[in-house]
């Protein structure tokens, strides 16, 4: 930066030469401020989503920059929410980017007092083994009159109501096929 | 360019005055508290957009307000005021219920004692219990003490009936509160002579029937004559082309002058950071033609954003409508370009006196008197010179 | 609504701006009350009395919208002479079977239909929450009904209704609910005056209404009012449920519920549905009227979607693979079974029962008694750490070194890290686009279950056990994409929509479903969401570019209808009731129904259509029968079947109440479900002794700033700071009585638990005068638990387990407790305190079951303490 | 009911007591310093809160009550009206004095209290000291009193150096101190002050360095310095002296140009007080440093400075009605009273102890201490006025009411 540009960038110089002698506005603006723009404008992509909290179904726009969610705000196009969000919906970015979010599989062995790490694949394998064992142990083929039961009451599930329809569909389909009947959901609560 | 004659005081279009020759219409907020539902979406949306850190996790007991005040870490603040007073336009919520004397004043008084370090400097200090009580009951109100005396009168009645178990015909609580209860709480006339009404002579109203819950989202006022901006020695605070007042975080060196200068107590220093922070009216979003985050989120359009002229017109209509619908207490605050700060860029429709919401009733920008101050300083300086000359010339030792 | 659904509330404010009057009924003064025109404080659990009062007001003043009521409801239908009303039965309708605590409903039927209603004994329905399956449609009625168009017949529904609600006078409303008569009349007047031809009124409830032992009947009462006033099927009318979770409607449509299969098809019962035909016929009732005639197509197509090529007409589409119900397998029964060591493994998928379910202690003890537990969530929630940080660890009931439960915590993907549809409260499916990949090990449920399924099939590949065929034959081949091999949600949605198995063409509507195995449909009511191969749920046409109905935003089931039963927005002749309120009408020239929405009626069936006498299915509905999912095409003021606890709503006291039922000898809902288990107990209510040990009524609900059990809000900084601590709201009068100080501590004691909270003494709560006594209510948020940024005791720990018989949803919106100043004891002292209260309340250890029936003779003078005690079930 | 539950009436009393305790927690240490009338009022106020009876009548400000003003206009533009007796009591008029009863949101301050720490108050002192001593130095220089010159210049440099340290230290972001030089804003007294300091500081520095000339070697490069420094120092000293009055008085504007009620309303006096305080502190340096034969001007300066300071302080303590209260009570009151006493003692000592070196030094010390007390007193008075919403709300509310009742007299 040459001396000349330095001086011309000096707000005092701009005060003296420009339209803002009191140094209140144009002269006092920093380069950083002049270059500011909404980060939604510079986002790499925008996904149209729906708020995950209550059941009103407010539209959300999810802005992504460098693979990270940079902003979540209301979708003004939505005839339901007209771009508005409540405090929870407004906090969606904090929800999905919260440092408290768990990103690693954690494992507590029987009688354990601490969490341990576990590989995701191993966990999946262990869970599958336990499902099959529990199923074998508690399988009911027929009732006392010989009518089919085809089921296990040794496995339970309770799902939240923020699961997608597609997810619920697969959950119900798989559990039904394995004979697990005790599949419940927040909808019962 | 010669500064406007009203550069320091009086009606002014601030953006051109600050050198924005090409400035568009001045933008601002109109916050209509009559439709505010206190959801705090504005607070959260603001924090999400501007990356404002949390303000601490304290239960303040100030109704549902756990934010406490506008601070460096809360650029929107939703105030909650519980008042056992009529809302004017509707049926009294507790009419016919076996209520005793109201307790809002007492609860507010306790809430006044809460507060403390909240991630800002110097934090939210505790308040004055009497003033808190008066916020609830209005100028006609008894002091804290009065309200408190009333409550146990009812309570003792119940107590006498056997520890309040439901078996007891515990209707004593519905009895007209004895003693000083209800003194003024139900709209007794303020006679202009506080204390003229001796303790014990209440209106005889039966318990609390009326109640209203005021909510209001407070924010930086973006004054026409912004003292914070004018006193800022670094040019960190500046007037944008939208007529708003913004702190430039890359410039601010935390001198703290703006904090003392703000007549609304808005701008604040952040602990650990040292710089001053406040609402920017989402300067970055405005530049991109977007609505500020709080106004976009506001579910009930309590916070409206737009050209200030339009907002003022809309606000005047809204007040007229409310007056028609039997809400005579509706009034505007900060809308008047001839007021002490030249009108606010963010103004409000209130349902009570401004100080009830924590707003100064008649703020005047401090720089109004700046020329006079300089003059006095000059005189003092001359006196100093004269004194020095006299001291050296006039003596003989 | 402003409190829990602020963005939805913008439309209420919009209406208010245009002159609508807003009434708010709630035990506490909320943010909604603050902007409502009139606020009515009510005693929790007495809504039927209030609404029944409105029904009585309408009927005794003949303020119903008579033309609508006559044509569109079953007001004129004549009921069996065997029917005895609860009014005459001191709280019981005819047909009660005390053995099973359920009704034989034959006597409730329409005149002439007593035997063949298909309802009969409802013990099984009660066990299996069969009421839920009516979410998409009403129960069946066969053939023609007898009507009296003059409404004078003593046994016509109108007259029965009138008699039934006659005792719900304003005085009685005041006695039961604590609502002063003036206030009640203001509500009744405004409601009726703002309904009719030119105006409509809407009833909005939040699903706290469902969390009562009479929850279904609450909603029924609301529906009766709206039918009487002509507010159903019309714009600005209706009964709107504000559900609390993003896709909770979807979770019942495509249920993960033990008693349902997708599209409200019932899970087969071992005794009733041994074969496909038995199963299908129990749904469609051959020969009956209405749209259920095609049930076989829906059922066959579902099985085809499940088992693909293996499902053939010859093997009944693998119907034999389906597991069978034998009774109640609901979540609370499961938890008790866990405590009894009957359950090995438990999956928690984004759900936090340790905080969110009633009787938190039972939940945690149950989880501590498993072999293994899989928790999939965004955050480390209480249900994952109960063995480490739960309150039972402090009391010594759970010792980490002795707790055998093996816990897998698997991080889940958030809503922006996966794609898929939510179904929101207005039955609207909205597709979410994926924004980013999930971090680390986080995966969607779609991924988890798809890959779990692959793993299971791989492990069973060489199995020859018959039981494993269902898994091995399962159609489980969804395309995947990306480095994580994420299954395609669109492919799943396409299967849900249904397709032609030979051509693969997505079906346009459920009308195209076939029962011959040529179509596969995952959820028939969603058929059309993928019509023409287009993801209709992903439509995002801006509201600025379409009309106010916004039919091109997302997709609503069924068939993208935005208002159900919208045929009722036109008069019997097909003309709009009024120009102001026009919505759907008959276009004579084109010979079809038209309007702003998709008509909820056969498009070309004219208003003048009358069915031939032998018609069945849809053809049996006349051109002026708008309620097409009801078997008789009428709105049911009186429900001859489908509701297990009575054809008409009846006020019963909550399971825990300090008040004797002023209306009937029967204190509480006689059909409510109670579990006899040592861990469960119910606080005594009159006429039982010692109800005064728990003298106060408490209710719980949400704060704007938090979400359900707090897993998505107490972990989020900008929300946690807004409501940072557990608190209890009490009225000044209760504060004085109990000695509570604003911002001081208090602890609350029920028969299950003691919890502590900071006290907010506020004028927003009020004591109520109920039946001559002052009843104090207190309010708690239920969001707090022991994990997260802000923590506190859980309000739901206070509740016991008592369920609504229709849907097996727990009563967790009202209970009784005591409140005392100061912090609760810790450790063993805590258990002692609860035990001490239980001892004084006469709840013997190990016996929690209260009487199901109240048989004592009522003392008109007031509550009595010497009624009979326990009534064996 | 639990048997171990205390009786109900007693329990609710606890709630009340908690309230009363909350009220008591509010800082209320004024009573001790009030005069008879004032303390009675304060005691009443205290009693109100403790017993919960009474209706809050006693919140009139003591100053106004003493003055016997019917309706003390608390925000009036400053006038020179002299006070009356100041002890007059009773009289029918007093009954109509509206108490300082006010409302605010949960009783909380409307304003944010200044975030400035003690270092800004210290700077007020050191800045004044620098200005005063540079005037002293210049006087000494021009009237050939080397002891005054030397002491003045050295003190001036030390004081201005300390000022810089204080100012930078008080910044939230000290590393950005140079941002002060980004703009030159007439509307910002701090900006103006920055530029004044920028002129004064180097000049004072050069002047002080020039004092080192005698110690420099006579030859070589430093020898040149030895020869050049005195004239340069003289010039610099004059420059410093020329800017000194601005330096001493701008701080008055610095404080006054805020929303802090008791600072702002005191704007006519603050520069005067600070000018006087600067002169007095400069004089103090002279008294300490100069031999008796050179100390005459310092004595006279002390008198002049003290006069200005005392006059100004008296005005702010009495003229501002309610807003004078923060200057007469609490810490500020103690400091200002101490300052007054010290000033009086210093002046007396300076005049009496003409021949006594010891007495002169003591007097000089007293004057310096007085200046410190005054500065801190004014500083804390303002801070106290910002912390208590009363001082914000009451005057403004009165202004509103006045305007409402006399719309024609719109307050400008």
């Amino acid at each position: 930066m040459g001396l000349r540009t330095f001086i011309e960038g000096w707000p005092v110089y701009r005060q003296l030469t420009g339209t803002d002698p009191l140094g209140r506005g144009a002269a006092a603006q920093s380069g950083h401020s002049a270059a500011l723009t909404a980060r939604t404008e510079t986002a790499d992509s925008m996904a149209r989503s729906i708020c995950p909290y209550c059941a009103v179904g407010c539209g959300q726009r999810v802005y992504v920059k460098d693979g990270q969610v940079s902003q979540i705000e209301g979708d003004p196009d939505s005839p339901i929410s007209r771009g508005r969000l409540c405090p929870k919906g407004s906090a969606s970015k904090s929800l999905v980017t919260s440092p408290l979010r768990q990103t690693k599989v954690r494992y507590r062995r029987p009688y354990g007092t601490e969490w341990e790490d576990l590989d995701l694949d191993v966990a999946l394998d262990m869970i599958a083994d336990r499902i099959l064992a529990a199923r074998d142990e508690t399988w009911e083929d027929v009732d006392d009159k010989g009518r089919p039961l085809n089921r296990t009451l040794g496995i339970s599930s309770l799902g939240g109501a923020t699961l997608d329809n597609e997810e619920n569909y697969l959950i119900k389909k798989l559990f039904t096929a394995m004979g697990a009947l005790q599949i419940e959901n927040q909808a019962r609560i | 360019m010669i500064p406007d004659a009203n550069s320091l005081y009086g009606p002014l279009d601030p953006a051109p005055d600050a050198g924005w020759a090409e400035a568009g219409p001045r933008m601002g907020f109109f916050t209509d508290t009559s439709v505010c539902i206190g959801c705090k979406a504005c607070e959260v949306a603001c924090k999400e957009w501007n990356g404002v850190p949390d303000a601490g996790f304290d239960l303040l007991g100030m109704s549902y307000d756990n934010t406490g005040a506008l601070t460096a870490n809360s650029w929107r603040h939703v105030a909650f005021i519980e008042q056992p007073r009529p809302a004017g336009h509707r049926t009294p919520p507790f009419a016919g219920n076996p209520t005793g004397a109201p307790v809002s004043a007492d609860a507010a008084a306790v809430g006044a004692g809460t507060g403390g370090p909240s991630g800002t400097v110097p934090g939210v200090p505790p308040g004055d219990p009497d003033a808190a009580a008066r916020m609830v009951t209005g100028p006609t109100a008894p002091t804290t003490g009065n309200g408190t005396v009333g409550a146990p009168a009812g309570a003792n009645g119940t107590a006498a009936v056997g520890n309040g178990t439901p078996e007891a015909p515990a209707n004593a609580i519905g009895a007209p509160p004895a003693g000083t209860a209800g003194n003024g709480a139900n709209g007794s006339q303020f006679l202009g002579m506080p204390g003229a009404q001796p303790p014990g002579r209440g209106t005889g109203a039966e318990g609390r029937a009326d109640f209203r819950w005021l909510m209001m989202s407070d924010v930086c006022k973006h004054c026409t004559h912004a003292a914070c901006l004018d006193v800022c020695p670094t040019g960190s605070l500046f007037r944008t082309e939208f007529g708003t007042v913004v702190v430039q975080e890359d410039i601010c060196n935390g001198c703290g002058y703006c904090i003392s200068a703000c007549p609304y107590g808005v701008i604040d220093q952040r602990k650990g950071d040292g710089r001053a922070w406040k609402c920017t009216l989402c300067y970055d979003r405005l530049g991109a033609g977007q609505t500020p985050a709080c106004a976009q989120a506001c579910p009930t359009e309590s916070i409206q954003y737009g050209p200030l002229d339009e907002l003022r017109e809309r606000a005047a209509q809204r007040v007229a409508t409310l007056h028609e619908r039997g809400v005579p207490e509706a009034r505007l605050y900060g809308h008047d370009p001839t007021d002490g700060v030249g009108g606010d860029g963010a103004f409000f429709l209130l349902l009570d006196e401004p100080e009830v919401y924590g707003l100064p009733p008649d703020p005047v920008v401090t720089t109004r008197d700046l020329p006079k101050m300089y003059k006095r300083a000059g005189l003092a300086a001359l006196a100093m010179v004269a004194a020095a000359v006299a001291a050296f010339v006039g003596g003989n030792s | 609504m402003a409190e829990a659904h602020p963005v939805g509330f913008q439309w209420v404010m919009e209406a208010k701006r245009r002159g609508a009057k807003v009434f708010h009924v709630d035990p506490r003064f909320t943010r909604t009350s603050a902007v409502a025109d009139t606020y009515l404080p009510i005693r929790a659990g007495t809504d039927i009395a209030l609404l029944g009062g409105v029904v009585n007001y309408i009927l005794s003043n003949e303020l119903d919208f008579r033309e609508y009521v006559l044509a569109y409801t079953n007001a004129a239908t004549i009921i069996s002479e065997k029917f005895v009303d609860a009014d005459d039965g001191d709280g019981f309708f005819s047909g009660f079977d005390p053995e099973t605590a359920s009704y034989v409903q034959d006597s409730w039927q329409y005149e002439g239909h007593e035997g063949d209603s298909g309802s009969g004994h409802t013990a099984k329905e009660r066990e299996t929450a069969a009421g839920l399956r009516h979410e998409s449609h009403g129960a069946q009625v066969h053939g023609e009904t007898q009507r009296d168009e003059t409404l004078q017949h003593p046994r016509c529904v109108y007259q029965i209704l009138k008699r039934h609600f006659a005792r719900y006078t304003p005085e009685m409303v005041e006695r039961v609910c604590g609502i002063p008569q003036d206030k009640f009349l203001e509500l009744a007047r405004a409601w009726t005056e703002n309904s009719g031809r030119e105006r409509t009124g809407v009833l909005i409830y939040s699903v706290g209404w469902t969390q009562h032992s009479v929850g279904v009947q609450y909603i029924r009462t609301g529906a009766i009012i709206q039918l009487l006033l002509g507010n159903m099927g019309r714009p600005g009318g209706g009964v709107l449920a504000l559900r609390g979770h993003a896709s909770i409607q979807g979770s019942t449509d495509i249920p993960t519920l033990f008693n349902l299969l997708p599209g409200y098809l019932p899970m087969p019962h071992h005794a009733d549905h041994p074969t496909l035909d038995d199963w299908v016929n129990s749904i469609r009732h051959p020969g009956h009227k209405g749209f259920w005639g095609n049930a076989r197509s829906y059922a066959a197509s579902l099985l085809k979607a499940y088992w693909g090529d293996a499902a053939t007409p010859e093997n009944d589409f693998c119907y034999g693979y389906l597991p069978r119900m034998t009774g109640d397998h609901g979540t609370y029964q499961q938890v008790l079974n866990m405590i009894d060591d009957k359950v090995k493994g438990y999956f928690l998928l984004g759900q936090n029962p340790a905080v969110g379910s009633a009787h938190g202690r039972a939940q945690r003890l149950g989880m501590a008694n498993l072999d293994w537990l899989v928790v999939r969530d965004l955050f480390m929630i209480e249900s994952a750490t109960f063995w480490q940080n739960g309150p039972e660890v402090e009391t010594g009931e759970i010792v980490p070194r002795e707790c055998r439960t093996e816990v897998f915590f698997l991080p889940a993907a958030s809503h922006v890290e996966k794609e898929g549809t939510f179904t929101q409260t207005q039955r609207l499916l909205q597709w979410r686009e994926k924004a980013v990949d999930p971090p680390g090990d986080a995966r969607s449920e779609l991924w988890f279950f798809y890959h779990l399924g692959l793993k299971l099939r791989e492990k069973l590949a060489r199995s020859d056990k018959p039981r494993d065929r269902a898994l091995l034959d399962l159609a489980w081949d969804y395309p995947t994409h990306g480095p994580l091999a994420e299954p395609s949600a669109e492919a799943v949605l396409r299967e849900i929509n249904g397709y032609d198995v030979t051509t693969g063409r997505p079906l346009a509507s459920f009308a195209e479903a076939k029962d011959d195995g040529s179509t596969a449909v995952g959820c028939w009511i969603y058929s059309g969401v993928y019509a023409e191969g287009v993801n209709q749920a992903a439509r995002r046409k801006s509201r600025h570019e379409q009309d106010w109905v916004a039919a091109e935003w997302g997709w609503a089931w069924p068939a993208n209808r935005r208002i159900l039963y919208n045929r009722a927005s036109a008069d019997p002749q097909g003309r709009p009731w009024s120009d102001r309120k026009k919505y759907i009408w008959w276009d004579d020239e084109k010979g079809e129904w038209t309007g702003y929405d998709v008509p909820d009626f056969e498009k070309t069936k004219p208003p003048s259509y009358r069915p031939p006498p032998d018609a069945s299915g849809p053809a049996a509905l006349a051109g002026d029968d708008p309620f097409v999912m009801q078997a008789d095409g009428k709105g049911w003021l009186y429900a001859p079947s489908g509701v297990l606890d009575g054809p008409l709503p009846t006020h019963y006291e909550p399971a825990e109440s300090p008040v004797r039922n002023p209306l009937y000898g029967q204190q509480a809902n006689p059909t409510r479900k109670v579990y006899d288990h040592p861990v469960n107990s119910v606080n005594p209510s009159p006429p039982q002794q010692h109800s005064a040990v728990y003298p106060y009524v408490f209710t719980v609900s949400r704060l704007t700033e938090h979400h359900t059990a707090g897993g998505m809000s107490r972990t989020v900084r900008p929300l946690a700071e807004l409501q940072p601590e557990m608190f209890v709201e009490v009225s000044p009068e209760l504060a004085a009585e109990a000695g509570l100080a604003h911002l001081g501590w208090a602890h609350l004691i029920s028969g299950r638990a003691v919890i502590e909270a900071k006290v907010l003494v506020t004028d927003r709560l009020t004591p109520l005068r109920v039946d001559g006594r002052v009843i104090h209510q207190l309010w708690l948020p239920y969001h707090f638990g022991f994990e997260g940024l802000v923590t506190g005791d859980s309000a739901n720990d206070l509740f016991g387990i008592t369920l609504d018989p229709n849907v097996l949803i727990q009563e967790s919106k009202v209970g009784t407790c005591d409140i005392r100043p100061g912090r609760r004891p810790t450790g063993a002292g805590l258990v002692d305190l609860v035990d001490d209260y239980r001892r004084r309340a006469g709840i013997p250890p190990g016996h929690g079951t209260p009487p199901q029936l109240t048989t004592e003779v009522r003392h008109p003078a007031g509550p009595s303490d010497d009624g009979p005690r326990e009534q064996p079930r | 009911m639990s048997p171990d539950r205390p009786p109900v009436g007693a329990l609710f009393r606890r709630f009340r007591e908690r309230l009363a305790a909350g009220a008591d927690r509010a800082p209320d240490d004024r009573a001790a310093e009030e005069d008879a009338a004032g303390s009675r009022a304060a005691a009443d106020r205290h009693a109100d809160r403790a017993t919960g009876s009474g209706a809050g009548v006693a919140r009139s400000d003591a100053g106004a009550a003493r003055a016997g003003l019917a309706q003390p206009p608390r925000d009036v533009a400053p006038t020179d009206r002299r006070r009356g007796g100041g002890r007059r009591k009773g009289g029918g008029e007093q009954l109509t004095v509206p108490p300082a009863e006010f409302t605010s949101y949960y009783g909380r301050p409307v304003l944010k209290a200044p975030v400035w720490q003690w270092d800004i108050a210290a700077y007020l002192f050191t800045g004044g000291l620098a200005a005063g001593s540079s005037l002293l130095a210049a006087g000494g220089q021009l009237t050939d009193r080397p002891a005054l010159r030397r002491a003045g210049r050295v003190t001036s440099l030390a004081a201005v150096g300390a000022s810089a340290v204080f100012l930078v230290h008080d910044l939230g972001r000290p590393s950005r101190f140079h941002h002060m030089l980004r703009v030159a804003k007439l509307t910002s007294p701090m900006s103006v002050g920055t530029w004044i300091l920028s002129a004064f500081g180097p000049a004072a520095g050069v002047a002080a360095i020039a004092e080192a000339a005698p110690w420099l070697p006579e030859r070589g490069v430093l020898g040149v310095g030895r020869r050049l420094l005195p004239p340069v120092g003289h010039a610099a000293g004059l420059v410093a002296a020329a800017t000194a009055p601005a330096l001493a008085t701008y701080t008055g504007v610095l404080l006054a140009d805020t929303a802090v009620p008791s600072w702002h309303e005191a704007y006519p006096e603050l520069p005067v007080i600070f000018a006087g305080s600067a002169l007095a502190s400069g004089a103090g340096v002279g008294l300490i440093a100069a031999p008796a034969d050179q100390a005459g001007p310092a004595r006279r300066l002390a008198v002049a400075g003290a006069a200005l300071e005392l006059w100004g302080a008296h005005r702010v303590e009495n003229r501002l009605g309610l807003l004078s209260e923060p200057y007469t009570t609490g810490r500020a009151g103690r400091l200002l009273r101490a300052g007054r006493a010290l000033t009086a003692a210093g002046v007396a000592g300076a005049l009496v102890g003409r021949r006594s070196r010891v007495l002169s030094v003591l007097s000089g010390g007293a004057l310096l201490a007085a200046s410190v007390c005054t500065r801190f007193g004014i500083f804390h008075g303002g801070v106290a006025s910002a912390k208590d919403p009363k001082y914000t709300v009451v005057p403004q509310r009165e202004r509103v009411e006045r305007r409402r009742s006399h719309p024609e007299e719109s307050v400008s």
Side-chain angles (χ1 to χ4, degrees), chain C residues 494 497-500 503-509 512 530-534:
Chain C
R494 183 174 159 276
N497 173 82
Y499 55 91
D500 186 311
T503 65
R505 181 187 63 84
L507 303 188
S509 83
E512 295 179 15
Y530 215 81
E532 293 157 28
V534 175

Side-chain angles (χ1 to χ4, degrees), chain D residues 9 16 36 45 59 64 70 99 120-121 193 212 219 237 250 266 302 312 341 362 367-368 374:
Chain D
R16 250 194 309 159
R45 169 167 62 240
R59 255 159 304 275
I120 290 299
R219 296 172 192 284
Y250 99 86
L362 284 176
L367 287 172
L368 285 172
T374 304

Side-chain angles (χ1 to χ4, degrees), chain A residues 77-104:
Chain A
D77 286 343
S78 167
I80 295 161
S81 58
R82 299 194 283 189
R84 300 164 197 179
L85 289 176
C86 75
K88 293 186 284 264
S90 295
S92 296
K93 186 190 67 163
S94 285
L95 172 78
V96 300
T97 61
S98 166
L100 294 181
R101 260 190 79 180
Q102 301 291 323
T103 56
K104 292 270 165 260

Side-chain angles (χ1 to χ4, degrees), chain B residues 222-247:
Chain B
H222 296 276
C223 313
T224 302
H225 298 292
C228 60
L229 188 165
D230 277 354
V231 303
C232 175
T234 62
S236 166
L237 274 151
F238 83 120
R239 177 81 56 184
T240 71
E241 60 271 39
F242 305 102
T244 59
V245 180
V246 173
V247 202

